[in-house]
Amino acid sequence: MPATAHAYLVASGDLRLSANRTCWPAQALMEAQLTAALDALGTQVTRAHPYDDREGHGFISSQRMGMDVFRAIPKGSAVIVAEAVWQYSAHVLAGLRDHQGPILTVANWSGEWPGLVGLLNLNGSLTKMGVRYSTVWSEDFRDPWFLDRLREWVETGRIEHDLSHVRPLERAALSAGPRSLGERLAAELRDRKAILGVFDEGCMGMYNAIIDDELMNPCGLYKERLSQSALVAEMALVSGDEAHRALEWLLARGMSFSWGSDPATDLTRAQTVEQLKMYIAATRIADRFGCDAVGIQYQQGLKDTVPASDLAEGLLNNPDRPPVFHADTGAELYTGAALPHFNEVDEGAAIDLLVTNRVWTALGFEPSSTLHDLRWGEEYGGEFVWVFLISGAAPASHFVNGYAGADSQRQPPMYFRLGGGTLRGVSRAGPIVWSRVYVQGGALHADLGLGRAVDLPDAEVQRRWHATTPQWPIMNAVLHGVSRDQMMAKHQANHLNVAYAPDDAGARQALEAKAAMFAAMGLHVNLCGVTASG
C-alpha cells in the first residue's frame, strides 16, 4: 500500500459563472485523467465537493464555499488541487493555510484555458503564505516524467524538482558599470521615493500580487490607494473630442480596430472611445497624485461598469502614445515617457516595471515593458518556445511593425460583458530580459534571466494563438539556460515581466544593472539560467 493511500481532490474556479460553465468540460477531463493515474499507483481519490447541477459546473466558486469545503476535509489528509482553468486562489487559500497534510497542486499542460496560469498563481500565493506544497503538470497524465513525480509524491508526500538553473546573485561578480548604475538608481529611489497608484487592491484572488507596505516602503516605494469608482467618475469629465483625437492618433499610426455593430459580441467604436476616455482619465489622476506607475484592477467591479481597461493599459506602458493634456492648464502630461502600468494591480509587477523603466531609461534603451502570463508552450525547431500571453494588452513598441502591426479585438464576452478591445500584436524577435518580484519568507525576492523573443512562421503563430486566446497579444520566447520544467517549478507567479534590449550585450548590461538595483533596494536576487557570456 502506498504512503498516500487516499487523497481529497478540490478544484478552485473563477468567480464568473460564465467562465466556470464554459471551462468545466476541460476540468472534468483533466480530473478523470489524473484520477486514473493515481488509481494506478494505488491511491484512491475522493472529490471533496460535488458537481452542482444548478450551476452547471463542479468548481469552488467563492471564498466562503472554499472554507466550507475544507471544514469537511481531515486536517492531516492528503489534498490535491487540480486546475485546468484560470482560478481565484482566494477560494482555497484559507483551507490550505490551515491544512496539515501533504498538498499537491496539479495542472494540465494545455493552452486552451489558463490552467497553468492558475497553477502558478496558486503556487506563488502558497509560497507567500509559507505553506509547504508540491507541484506537477502533464499534457495527458501518462508521460514518464509526470508519472515518476506523481509516484514520488504518493510515496513521500513531496516532489523535489531540478532547480540547478538558479543561483543567488553575487554582487561582486557584476560588471563595475552596471553595478554602479543600479546602486545609484536604488539610492535615488530611496531618497526621492516613488508612488504606485493602485486602483483597488487585489484582483481575482491573486494573494501573491499584494505586497505589504512594510516590505515596499524601505525600498522607497509607497502606495497611493485609489478607487476604480473615481476612475469612472473622471472618465465622465473627459470630452468626446479628446477621446476621438486619441483615436485618430492611433488610426494615423496604422492601428486597426475590429469593430462590429452588436455590442454584446462585437467591439464597437463607442466601446473604443470609452476605453480612450479611461486612458486619459487614468493619466490625469496619476498626474494629480504624483504617481510614478499605476495599476487598474479591472476584472472585478470595473468590468461591470465600463468597457475593459486593456487598451488604456497597453498605451500607458509605451512612451510613444497619444498625448494627454492637463484638463485645466493644457500642459502635456508625462511628455515622451511611459507611465508604467501594472496589469491586474499586480504589485510584484509594479516594483519590477518601475525598476525596469529607470534602468532602461538610464541606459538609453527604449523602456517599454509589460507583464505576460506564462500561458503554455511547445517545442519548435528543436527548442522549447513559450507562449507568453497577457490577457489584453501590451505596448505596440513590442510588436512587429509597431502600431501598424497592432489591432484591437473585443475581449471575450465570457469575461467582459460590456466589451472593450485589446491591444494585440505579435512580439518582434529580439533579446529580452525577464524577471519576477515576489514574496517568500516575509521578504522581497527577485528572479531574473535572459531570453529572446523569436520569429515563427505565420501558420505556427496562428496555431498557437488559436490554441490559447487569439484576442490577446502574444510573445513566442525562448529562455536561456532554463528548461520548461525548471521554469514551472521555480516561478512564483502567473505573471513575468519582459523588456527588450537592443542586442545581446545590452541585455546582459541591463540584467546586471537591474539585478544590482534590486539588491541595493534590499531584495534577495536570483539569476536564473542567464548564459549569454555569463
Side-chain angles (χ1 to χ4, degrees), residues 169 171 174 178-179 182-183 511-520:
L169 175 69
R171 294 167 72 174
L174 295 174
R179 177 179 174 181
E183 291 174 347
L511 173 88
E512 291 197 6
K514 186 172 181 177
M517 184 172 179
F518 277 144

Side-chain angles (χ1 to χ4, degrees), residues 279 282-283 294 311-319 321 337-341:
Y279 162 67
T283 307
V294 293
L311 180 58
E313 297 172 3
L315 294 175
L316 289 169
N317 275 324
N318 192 343
R321 53 184 175 76
L339 174 56
H341 180 279

Side-chain angles (χ1 to χ4, degrees), residues 16 151 304 330 520:
R16 295 162 288 201
R151 183 179 296 105
D304 300 315

Side-chain angles (χ1 to χ4, degrees), residues 111-438:
E112 181 186 14
W113 306 118
L116 295 166
V117 182
L119 175 86
L120 288 170
N121 179 263
L122 178 60
N123 290 352
S125 297
L126 291 171
T127 295
K128 178 185 172 185
M129 288 199 314
V131 173
R132 292 189 63 179
Y133 65 95
S134 297
T135 188
V136 72
W137 44 91
S138 178
E139 185 171 350
D140 60 8
F141 302 94
R142 293 181 297 183
D143 60 279
W145 183 90
F146 165 76
L147 292 175
D148 286 347
R149 280 145 191 84
L150 187 65
R151 183 179 296 105
E152 181 183 353
W153 184 77
V154 166
E155 293 176 353
T156 70
R158 296 286 296 166
I159 297 175
E160 299 295 334
H161 288 286
D162 173 18
L163 300 180
S164 59
H165 67 294
V166 182
R167 67 180 190 275
L169 175 69
E170 297 179 13
R171 294 167 72 174
L174 295 174
S175 304
R179 177 179 174 181
S180 176
L181 173 62
E183 291 174 347
R184 175 175 64 80
L185 292 173
E188 290 175 359
L189 177 59
R190 277 205 179 98
D191 178 52
R192 185 181 183 276
K193 304 183 178 17
I195 295 175
L196 306 175
V198 179
F199 285 98
D200 289 342
E201 197 163 42
C203 179
M204 297 186 292
M206 295 194 299
Y207 173 74
N208 69 315
I210 301 172
I211 297 182
D212 291 343
D213 299 63
E214 287 73 14
L215 296 179
M216 281 192 178
N217 294 169
C219 302
L221 297 167
Y222 290 77
K223 300 178 192 178
E224 187 72 56
R225 288 176 168 85
L226 305 167
S227 169
Q228 291 187 111
S229 60
L231 180 59
V232 175
E234 188 76 20
M235 288 171 62
L237 303 178
V238 178
S239 70
D241 286 345
E242 292 175 296
H244 279 98
R245 281 195 293 271
L247 178 56
E248 291 304 318
W249 189 98
L250 293 171
L251 291 170
R253 293 298 186 94
M255 185 172 171
S256 60
F257 295 82
S258 299
W259 288 321
S261 58
D262 183 357
T265 56
D266 299 333
L267 175 65
T268 65
R269 187 182 182 101
Q271 291 171 10
T272 300
V273 169
E274 285 299 298
Q275 290 183 290
L276 291 169
K277 287 184 178 181
M278 186 186 297
Y279 162 67
I280 295 167
T283 307
R284 286 176 174 166
I285 291 175
D287 172 70
R288 189 175 306 145
F289 286 91
C291 296
D292 298 273
V294 293
I296 301 171
Q297 186 200 90
Y298 104 116
Q299 293 217 29
Q300 291 169 319
L302 194 67
K303 68 176 176 59
D304 300 315
T305 308
V306 292
S309 59
D310 300 282
L311 180 58
E313 297 172 3
L315 294 175
L316 289 169
N317 275 324
N318 192 343
D320 182 26
R321 53 184 175 76
V324 177
F325 302 96
H326 193 284
D328 297 324
T329 68
E332 186 173 352
L333 306 178
Y334 300 93
T335 306
L339 174 56
H341 180 279
F342 42 106
N343 304 47
E344 298 166 356
V345 288
D346 182 341
E347 293 168 359
I351 297 172
D352 200 324
L353 284 162
L354 186 137
V355 167
T356 299
N357 182 270
R358 298 198 173 188
V359 170
W360 265 241
T361 299
L363 290 170
F365 296 170
E366 202 283 327
S368 296
S369 184
T370 190
L371 54 88
H372 274 289
D373 284 336
L374 285 85
R375 179 63 178 265
W376 173 65
E378 286 185 336
E379 286 205 2
Y380 187 87
E383 57 187 353
F384 188 82
V385 182
W386 285 95
V387 172
F388 295 156
L389 197 81
I390 188 58
S391 57
S397 55
H398 281 198
F399 302 155
V400 176
N401 297 325
Y403 281 107
D407 67 357
S408 184
Q409 298 194 5
R410 193 199 193 280
Q411 278 280 24
M414 175 176 79
Y415 299 125
F416 293 94
R417 180 178 59 86
L418 298 180
T422 59
L423 207 173
R424 187 189 82 134
V426 179
S427 294
R428 56 186 166 82
I432 59 171
V433 179
W434 66 267
S435 49
R436 176 65 199 180
V437 173
Y438 57 96

